[in-house]
Amino acid sequence: MLKKLTDFVRGSQVWKSIFRHGPPTTARNRAMVMLANVFLHLHPVRARASGIRLSFTWCMGGLTFFLFLVETVTGILLMFYYRPVAASAFNDIVALREDVPLGIMREIHRWGAHAMVITVWLHMFRVFMTGSYKPPREFNWGIGVVLLVVTLLLSFTGYLLPWDQLAIWAVTVGTNMARAHPAIGHEGPGSNLLVIDDIQFVTSGDDIRYALLGGRFVGEGTLLRFYVLHCIAVPVIAMVLMAVHFWRVRKDGGISGPL
Amino acid sequence: MLETIDGIFNFLTRPEIVFPGAFVLLYLSLRYARVWTRPPIALGIGVFLAALFVYSCAPGVGIAEGHEQFVESAAKADNVPITMMLGLLYFFFWLSLRKAVVNDERIEKGLPPVEADEKSRKVLVWPDLVYTELIAMVGVTVVLIVWALLLPAPIEEPANPGRTPNPAKAPWYFLGLQEMLVYFDPWLAGILIPALIMVGLICIPYIDRNPKGNGYYTLKERYGAIFVFLFGFLVLWVLQVFIGTFLRGYGWNFFGVYEKWDVNKVEPLLNIDVSEIFYVKMLGMYEPENTLVRELPGILLVLGYMTVLPVLFAVTKGKKLFRELGAVRFGIMVNLGLIMLAVPIKMVLRWLFNLKYIVNIPEWQLNI
């Protein structure tokens, strides 16, 4: 009965129009799945048995990407309710838990972000331990390093948004480094030498930290900047780099294996 | 009895003990990987570590207020991932070394690594890989939902720029860099060192020209590369995160793992610069007025470290390496290695001599 029903659904015109092939029960159709589906075609049709073994890859790269998707979905939902202005940011965050039945969306977003930092580190650890950065994968290792940094930046820019004590002081500590940037931070080496006729060029009012914070300290301007960075700028950079990263995994011969 | 044990742990977690200790431990764990990665032994160590964690969280034993302090740090919602990460790291550290040991034993017998045995066997990605991924995704989703239900995301008082918390800590994954601030000025700890970590990581494939160990786990065929990487990753990064989380309390003062954070703890700052060591202590004179003359010993030390040492290395022990890599690769590799090594060196100098700056030129805001 059930089999009859599934056969009917899978044989229908609607099914065929969506999937372009029959059920993935024959070798031919299993290959077709991977070729005909825009999401699945990130994968090859066939892969080395040793390469896709869970104990070999630990699935950490895939999980990092999955967590990025989780963060995107939960992040969009959070954006519906959160306003990045100092007057309302904190209250909006509190309301996400207090005013919503089973309000765990922010929790999933936050723990997902921490988990993503962990999975990306473990992914790098695995890639190193299997020597997978060696030729021809040198360039993709470099892209991966940048993606790791981008992951940390995504997490860091999001850290400010709850606008509580934890948020502003963690970000204050983090961004204080920027004022020590050589030449373009006002406390950095060499910046106080950039003087003409007693006019200081690099000051706390125009240095790299000021550009980052939109002010001399973490304030209203910083909140908006970090919101835009967190929701638009850094994710777009991450997506472009991920596209390159995945493309190159395929181009460089798929998951690494003994030569 | 337990209080004595806790006291020993407090001593063992002092930075000047825990860093060299971690270095030795890493060396031993690679040197004797064949012994300890055997599943029963590794499981035993894992159980011991887990028991140690449970003991650390146990109330009312040993130095009771120290345990309370530990729980306070460990139970902070944002610190929970650190414990998870440490557990996962132990597991995957073991797994990768276990697989490496198995492969090394096969290679010794003249067999190919496990991964090569299955080299020619190709399988269809649907269903073999796609289903694994699906199960992994479902698993992580379940973990995330349970985690989110059990542990509320942290929210403290509304932001108040007028009230600085003590200690003010960066997000946990940056605590390694914040720890560096104890030993280096912000332009080094916050800008140059992170930038060089990134550059250094990107350079790895171009420096490590060893063709072996590409695409399979092995320890023996690339022992040096693995040792350097794990030293950077586990000792200079992950351990610093642990220290920043659990061992840095009020005023960023250091406290043992079972030590109550004391608000009034004041560490006397007896830090001195290289110029003082050279002119005052060694030559018994006053420091020169001219800044550059005063800082000359330090400047020469730094320049010598970055230029003379690589050349010395190239003509002595590193002769073979120099020939294999060529001047450019060799230069980049040795300089990156020296900068990486400068981190523990500066720490040791601080512990031994209270050294603050090697070069101190306030006029240029240049301190090294």
Side-chain angles (χ1 to χ4, degrees):
Chain A
M1 176 67 193
L2 193 69
K3 185 158 185 327
K4 248 187 169 171
L5 190 68
T6 46
D7 282 351
F8 172 75
V9 171
R10 283 165 154 184
S12 68
Q13 186 192 354
V14 175
W15 178 277
K16 280 207 169 131
S17 73
I18 296 172
F19 294 106
R20 304 183 74 225
H21 52 72
T25 44
T26 62
R28 183 183 175 277
N29 279 348
R30 284 175 170 175
M32 286 295 290
V33 176
M34 307 310 292
L35 292 170
N37 185 306
V38 67
F39 304 107
L40 289 175
H41 98 287
L42 276 175
H43 295 95
V45 171
R46 292 163 164 280
R48 261 193 318 274
S50 66
I52 61 171
R53 201 162 278 257
L54 187 63
S55 67
F56 182 80
T57 64
W58 313 345
C59 208
M60 281 302 160
L63 284 180
T64 307
F65 179 49
F66 174 66
L67 285 166
F68 180 82
L69 298 179
V70 169
E71 294 303 283
T72 308
V73 173
T74 54
I76 287 171
L77 291 172
L78 292 174
M79 282 168 79
F80 290 152
Y81 298 100
Y82 173 83
R83 290 160 291 173
V85 275
S88 57
F90 179 80
N91 292 331
D92 289 350
I93 292 286
V94 173
L96 281 170
R97 181 156 64 228
E98 303 299 326
D99 297 352
V100 183
L102 210 69
I104 57 166
M105 211 41 76
R106 179 174 161 245
E107 273 73 14
I108 294 182
H109 194 73
R110 195 176 185 101
W111 305 145
H114 285 328
M116 192 172 157
V117 170
I118 295 173
T119 54
V120 81
W121 286 3
L122 289 173
H123 177 57
M124 181 185 73
F125 182 41
R126 192 284 291 180
V127 169
F128 186 89
M129 293 305 279
T130 53
S132 305
Y133 57 84
K134 299 189 175 202
R137 298 183 178 80
E138 309 101 304
F139 179 73
N140 215 16
W141 164 268
I143 298 281
V145 171
V146 179
L147 271 169
L148 184 145
V149 176
V150 167
T151 306
L152 296 182
L153 290 180
L154 269 174
S155 191
F156 182 65
T157 49
Y159 217 84
L160 182 66
L161 305 185
W163 204 243
D164 61 342
Q165 281 288 78
L166 191 65
I168 67 158
W169 289 104
V171 170
T172 301
V173 170
T175 52
N176 263 343
M177 306 289 159
R179 64 173 155 207
H181 193 296
I184 52 173
H186 74 280
E187 284 178 9
S191 64
N192 60 341
L193 303 177
L194 299 169
V195 180
I196 295 179
D197 283 348
D198 285 347
I199 296 171
Q200 194 82 38
F201 275 84
V202 183
T203 67
S204 63
D206 61 3
D207 69 345
I208 182 74
R209 182 166 178 273
Y210 190 93
L212 192 64
L213 297 186
R216 282 191 168 82
F217 50 87
V218 177
E220 185 96 45
T222 320
L223 183 56
L224 185 58
R225 261 169 216 226
F226 271 49
Y227 179 74
V228 174
L229 287 172
H230 184 70
C231 302
I232 308 281
V234 189
V236 167
I237 295 169
M239 280 188 272
V240 172
L241 287 172
M242 276 191 286
V244 179
H245 197 61
F246 300 158
W247 168 255
R248 285 302 295 257
V249 170
R250 289 288 305 279
K251 285 284 134 185
D252 295 339
I255 297 168
S256 66
L259 296 170
Chain B
M1 169 63 182
L2 282 179
E3 277 180 35
T4 324
I5 293 175
D6 283 3
I8 294 171
F9 271 110
N10 280 343
F11 175 75
L12 287 178
T13 46
R14 294 172 64 85
E16 60 266 38
I17 308 291
V18 79
F19 270 103
F23 178 80
V24 172
L25 213 58
L26 176 66
Y27 173 78
L28 292 177
S29 65
L30 294 188
R31 179 80 181 68
Y32 296 104
R34 259 168 219 223
V35 183
W36 80 265
T37 56
R38 271 185 243 149
I41 303 179
L43 187 68
I45 299 172
V47 169
F48 172 74
L49 291 174
L52 199 61
F53 180 74
V54 172
Y55 169 71
S56 305
C57 295
V61 291
I63 306 173
E65 49 186 14
H67 285 259
E68 278 165 32
Q69 188 73 58
F70 183 87
V71 171
E72 200 185 309
S73 302
K76 268 208 184 101
D78 266 344
N79 290 346
V80 170
I82 303 178
T83 310
M84 290 167 61
M85 178 192 65
L86 293 176
L88 284 171
L89 260 183
Y90 175 72
F91 175 76
F92 284 115
F93 181 59
W94 165 75
L95 181 64
S96 60
L97 286 185
R98 180 71 207 155
K99 291 177 83 79
V101 164
V102 170
N103 274 345
D104 286 347
E105 279 169 359
R106 286 173 61 99
I107 291 166
E108 267 168 33
K109 286 185 204 144
L111 295 164
V114 176
E115 289 87 346
D117 251 11
E118 293 176 320
K119 187 184 163 192
S120 50
R121 195 163 76 85
K122 284 207 166 191
V123 291
L124 282 167
V125 166
W126 183 295
D128 284 342
L129 175 57
V130 178
Y131 276 49
T132 313
E133 287 174 343
L134 182 71
I135 293 165
M137 284 193 281
V138 172
V140 168
T141 309
V142 170
V143 168
L144 269 184
I145 290 174
V146 171
W147 188 0
L149 283 171
L150 292 179
L151 193 69
I155 185 94
E156 295 185 354
E157 293 163 46
N160 180 358
R163 213 173 62 78
T164 315
N166 183 12
K169 290 191 178 182
W172 65 269
Y173 36 83
F174 285 148
L175 282 179
L177 297 174
Q178 199 176 356
E179 179 66 17
M180 285 286 88
L181 281 173
V182 176
Y183 306 97
F184 293 94
D185 264 22
W187 78 275
L188 286 167
I191 308 287
L192 199 70
I193 290 177
L196 285 173
I197 292 173
M198 222 175 117
V199 171
L201 283 171
I202 292 174
C203 283
I204 286 175
Y206 305 97
I207 291 168
D208 175 14
R209 301 286 291 164
N210 177 6
K212 286 182 181 167
N214 187 346
Y216 54 92
Y217 291 96
T218 172
L219 184 57
K220 231 177 136 193
E221 292 185 344
R222 41 198 291 264
Y223 191 89
I226 287 178
F227 187 83
V228 173
F229 177 81
L230 289 182
F231 175 65
F233 180 49
L234 296 178
V235 180
L236 291 183
W237 188 262
V238 175
L239 179 65
Q240 309 245 34
V241 170
F242 176 82
I243 288 180
T245 311
F246 290 100
L247 308 180
R248 290 288 177 185
Y250 299 124
W252 206 254
N253 273 313
F254 175 82
F255 296 94
V257 66
Y258 302 129
E259 196 176 331
K260 175 109 186 108
W261 293 1
D262 178 4
V263 190
N264 299 316
K265 178 168 179 175
V266 180
E267 296 258 7
L269 286 173
L270 304 164
N271 292 344
I272 56 171
D273 298 343
V274 161
S275 56
E276 195 183 333
I277 294 176
F278 182 75
Y279 288 108
V280 180
K281 294 210 166 162
M282 285 166 71
L283 299 182
M285 54 189 276
Y286 290 109
E287 289 188 18
E289 291 276 319
N290 185 302
T291 317
L292 284 183
V293 178
R294 187 190 69 210
E295 296 305 324
L296 198 61
I299 294 171
L300 287 179
L301 270 179
V302 173
L303 285 180
Y305 182 74
M306 295 305 297
T307 56
V308 178
L309 278 190
V311 175
L312 267 181
F313 185 53
V315 296
T316 55
K317 278 222 150 188
K319 234 179 195 166
K320 201 172 138 247
L321 202 64
F322 183 78
R323 225 177 303 124
E324 279 170 14
L325 292 180
V328 175
R329 272 207 188 87
F330 182 86
I332 292 172
M333 184 190 87
V334 175
N335 272 302
L336 283 172
L338 282 171
I339 291 168
M340 184 174 164
L341 210 57
V343 173
I345 288 177
K346 182 92 190 268
M347 294 163 103
V348 170
L349 289 175
R350 173 69 56 83
W351 301 327
L352 291 181
F353 308 112
N354 287 315
L355 181 83
K356 185 159 176 65
Y357 291 128
I358 297 167
V359 177
N360 174 21
I361 309 177
E363 293 91 329
W364 300 349
Q365 302 179 343
L366 182 74
N367 302 313
I368 297 171

